[in-house]
Amino acid sequence: MMKLKLLVILLILTSLLNGCNKEDNTYPLEFFEISNTKLENLQLNNVNKIIVEKIINKRLSAFLFTDNENSQINGGINLNDKSYYIGQVSMENTPDHLMGIAEVQVFGKKAVKIYGILGANYAQAFYWFVEEKTEDSIIQIDGHTMEVDLDDDGKKEIVSTSGTIPETKIYILREGKIYVSDINKSIGAKSVFLQDEDKKLFQVYFEPNKSEQYVYYKYSFIKR
């Protein structure tokens, strides 16, 4: 009898929770911690040509280069008179407007964004947090990226979108660590993308030809 009462209570609670979720259209997002990009020492005699260089200050700079092995475009940084290789940034003959280096603010920190494309629908970016320890200073993100203050706290998060059917992720800083949420998987949506950067509105499709608008707030997606 006691087990039956407990089962009834659990069913009622589940129904109430589902009803609340449906009524206020709030979807909690799942977040997972990401790893930093491992840096390798770069021997400057392996650099064939520097394509773009961004001088941050006397001891910090970032650059795009080709090496002596192939024509792919790689990324490197100079830090305290040492050079490091961060990885392939873009493919050969990438148009100038699709790759580059820019100083940005992310998570309330100063960062350098090094970005490019590796295919027709494959963009990526590296973020170098210049004030962090060297081994913890760079993350790599797939997709077209933008920096947006989603929760109006004065600190910008990173939004990335990839694929012909858009899949969108949000990167946040929590307790000193960087976490990511795959929005499509978290809320069960077929397509998600940031429609209006100024209003921070996301266009969401749970089914074809039927879009809804959502905003991000406190680790959740809320319908507008």
Side-chain angles (χ1 to χ4, degrees), residues 51-54 62-65 73-76 86 89-90 94-104 112-117 124-127 145:
I51 301 171
V52 178
E53 184 173 18
K54 180 77 172 179
F63 56 97
L64 299 177
F65 70 96
I73 299 170
N74 305 296
I86 65 171
V89 173
S90 206
T94 300
D96 291 342
H97 68 283
L98 294 179
M99 68 175 185
I101 304 172
E103 293 185 68
V104 295
V112 176
K113 178 179 179 179
I114 305 166
Y115 60 95
I117 58 172
Q124 69 162 350
F126 293 87
Y127 286 84
T145 57

Side-chain angles (χ1 to χ4, degrees), residues 81-110:
D81 298 323
K82 290 185 178 180
S83 297
Y84 298 92
Y85 170 71
I86 65 171
Q88 182 182 359
V89 173
S90 206
M91 60 184 184
E92 183 181 5
N93 298 322
T94 300
D96 291 342
H97 68 283
L98 294 179
M99 68 175 185
I101 304 172
E103 293 185 68
V104 295
Q105 181 267 99
V106 184
F107 311 139
K109 301 181 179 184
K110 181 178 179 180

Side-chain angles (χ1 to χ4, degrees), residues 157-170:
E157 288 73 39
I158 299 172
V159 178
S160 72
T161 301
S162 58
T164 51
I165 299 176
E167 295 184 11
T168 296
K169 297 179 180 179
I170 293 175

Side-chain angles (χ1 to χ4, degrees), residues 185-197:
K185 291 181 180 178
S186 284
I187 69 177
K190 297 183 182 299
S191 170
V192 180
F193 62 94
L194 184 59
Q195 179 190 33
D196 190 321
E197 185 176 346

Side-chain angles (χ1 to χ4, degrees), residues 28-198:
L29 299 177
E30 293 181 297
F31 283 89
F32 302 93
E33 186 179 350
I34 69 169
S35 300
N36 297 95
T37 298
K38 293 183 178 180
L39 299 178
E40 301 177 14
N41 290 324
L42 175 63
Q43 302 298 324
L44 293 180
N45 56 9
N46 290 329
V47 175
N48 179 39
K49 179 182 179 182
I50 293 180
I51 301 171
V52 178
E53 184 173 18
K54 180 77 172 179
I55 306 295
I56 312 304
N57 57 42
K58 291 181 179 179
R59 65 184 187 87
L60 301 173
S61 66
F63 56 97
L64 299 177
F65 70 96
T66 57
D67 58 27
N68 296 318
E69 296 181 4
N70 53 55
S71 299
Q72 72 181 30
I73 299 170
N74 305 296
I77 63 173
N78 290 317
L79 175 61
N80 297 325
D81 298 323
K82 290 185 178 180
S83 297
Y84 298 92
Y85 170 71
I86 65 171
Q88 182 182 359
V89 173
S90 206
M91 60 184 184
E92 183 181 5
N93 298 322
T94 300
D96 291 342
H97 68 283
L98 294 179
M99 68 175 185
I101 304 172
E103 293 185 68
V104 295
Q105 181 267 99
V106 184
F107 311 139
K109 301 181 179 184
K110 181 178 179 180
V112 176
K113 178 179 179 179
I114 305 166
Y115 60 95
I117 58 172
L118 298 178
N121 293 303
Y122 186 3
Q124 69 162 350
F126 293 87
Y127 286 84
W128 174 26
F129 297 95
V130 297
E131 297 173 347
E132 300 295 319
K133 294 180 180 178
T134 305
E135 62 272 17
D136 299 325
S137 63
I138 293 183
I139 59 172
Q140 185 269 338
I141 295 177
D142 290 329
H144 295 279
T145 57
M146 60 185 75
E147 303 78 43
V148 186
D149 184 4
L150 294 174
D151 48 12
D152 294 318
D153 64 352
K155 299 176 182 179
K156 293 183 178 181
E157 288 73 39
I158 299 172
V159 178
S160 72
T161 301
S162 58
T164 51
I165 299 176
E167 295 184 11
T168 296
K169 297 179 180 179
I170 293 175
Y171 293 78
I172 67 169
L173 183 71
R174 185 167 63 188
E175 297 177 353
K177 298 183 182 297
I178 300 174
Y179 291 82
V180 61
S181 176
D182 185 322
I183 301 171
N184 297 58
K185 291 181 180 178
S186 284
I187 69 177
K190 297 183 182 299
S191 170
V192 180
F193 62 94
L194 184 59
Q195 179 190 33
D196 190 321
E197 185 176 346
D198 293 329

